[in-house]
Amino acid sequence: MKNNFLETVKGKLVVSCQALSAEPLHSSFIMSRMARAAKQAGSVAIRCNSVVDIQAIQDETHLPVIGLNKVDYDDSPVYITPTMKEMRAVASTGAEVVACDVTGQVRPHGEKLADIVAKMRQEFPDTLLMADTATLDNVHEAMDLGFDIIGTTMHGYTPDTDGMNIADDDFSYLKEVLKIADRPVIAEGKVDTPEKARRCIDLGCHAVVVGGAITRPLEIATKFINAVNA
């Protein structure tokens, strides 16, 4: 079956529905209902974490998904779908896209990203691969390895980009990514207002992912509490 993900999301919003184990909404049932709300609002796809959440969201919404699996390993800082084990598990759900960390950092067990990509192409030829990058060097690596989609997900979340924000200087970093990328770019990471999301599309991004600003009520409520209590 043809993978129509890129056609479906072009120029549109993807909502990220994720809650980690320490967060109040950690539950595949709750995430599936969050995804239902996103669908009702007009989201054309969902980004989600873990096999159980992916399956629950697929059953609830029947929307295409960007699937990932966040797992911490002692021997690596990479946690977004870090090994072939997680890549295979996510792809086996039928997720249209599998996203993984592409930040140039050492992966768990010494696995090589090039080997992971090669195995994925062999085992899941119809599954698109999304690179969650942080820097322009990461973008080049992702293109060299043959990733289908470039994401800006990790910009601001790695040691060498700590404190950076995709919206800084009118999205100057994103503009550089768009200049060098020869495949679809999906903006993600700290896109926390409707205006920023619209700007990403206007600049030429294929789609934009918004998560915490929509689906993490603890973070949203904390901003209001801090403002009121200041």
Side-chain angles (χ1 to χ4, degrees):
M1 181 179 295
K2 177 176 170 55
N3 190 331
N4 294 316
F5 178 84
L6 288 172
E7 292 86 345
T8 299
V9 304
K10 185 172 176 58
K12 302 295 184 180
L13 174 71
V14 177
V15 173
S16 179
C17 297
Q18 300 182 46
L20 301 178
S21 59
E23 297 181 68
L25 299 191
H26 180 66
S27 158
S28 58
F29 172 75
I30 293 174
M31 284 301 101
S32 71
R33 292 306 179 93
M34 189 73 79
R36 180 202 281 188
K39 179 180 180 180
Q40 289 181 353
S43 177
V44 298
I46 304 295
R47 180 171 163 117
C48 43
N49 168 45
S50 82
V51 168
V52 292
D53 280 16
I54 292 168
Q55 292 173 329
I57 287 168
Q58 288 170 325
D59 290 345
E60 181 68 37
T61 69
H62 304 289
L63 289 176
V65 301
I66 301 172
L68 58 127
N69 198 354
K70 292 181 177 177
V71 180
D72 291 321
Y73 285 91
D74 291 337
D75 61 343
S76 170
V78 174
Y79 61 92
I80 297 180
T81 332
T83 75
M84 186 62 199
K85 177 183 177 181
E86 288 85 37
M87 295 286 284
R88 184 180 286 119
V90 171
S92 294
T93 67
E96 287 77 6
V97 181
V98 176
C100 74
D101 179 301
V102 182
T103 57
Q105 301 178 98
V106 175
R107 304 186 90 79
H109 317 318
E111 288 191 19
K112 302 300 182 185
L113 190 52
D115 295 337
I116 292 174
V117 172
K119 290 178 183 177
M120 286 295 293
R121 294 305 189 195
Q122 182 178 22
E123 296 182 25
F124 302 96
D126 297 325
T127 302
L128 299 177
L129 301 181
M130 178 173 172
D132 288 349
T133 66
T135 68
L136 297 180
D137 284 343
N138 301 158
V139 173
H140 283 295
E141 179 185 9
M143 292 190 296
D144 289 343
L145 290 172
F147 277 80
D148 303 289
I149 301 166
I150 303 297
T152 58
T153 318
M154 296 301 290
H155 186 68
Y157 295 100
T158 58
D160 51 348
T161 63
D162 184 45
M164 297 181 183
N165 190 305
I166 194 173
D168 288 344
D169 301 319
D170 189 29
F171 293 88
S172 60
Y173 172 74
L174 179 60
K175 291 174 183 175
E176 291 301 313
V177 173
L178 289 164
K179 283 181 184 177
I180 67 172
D182 60 2
R183 61 210 65 190
V185 172
I186 294 182
E188 180 178 9
K190 304 181 182 180
V191 182
D192 54 9
T193 69
E195 293 76 17
K196 290 179 184 179
R198 179 69 248 178
R199 183 64 173 144
C200 291
I201 297 298
D202 289 343
L203 287 172
C205 289
H206 191 83
V208 58
V209 174
V210 176
I214 296 174
T215 59
R216 281 198 158 104
L218 176 60
E219 292 182 8
I220 297 167
T222 299
K223 291 179 182 179
F224 281 90
I225 296 298
N226 290 341
V228 170
N229 291 343

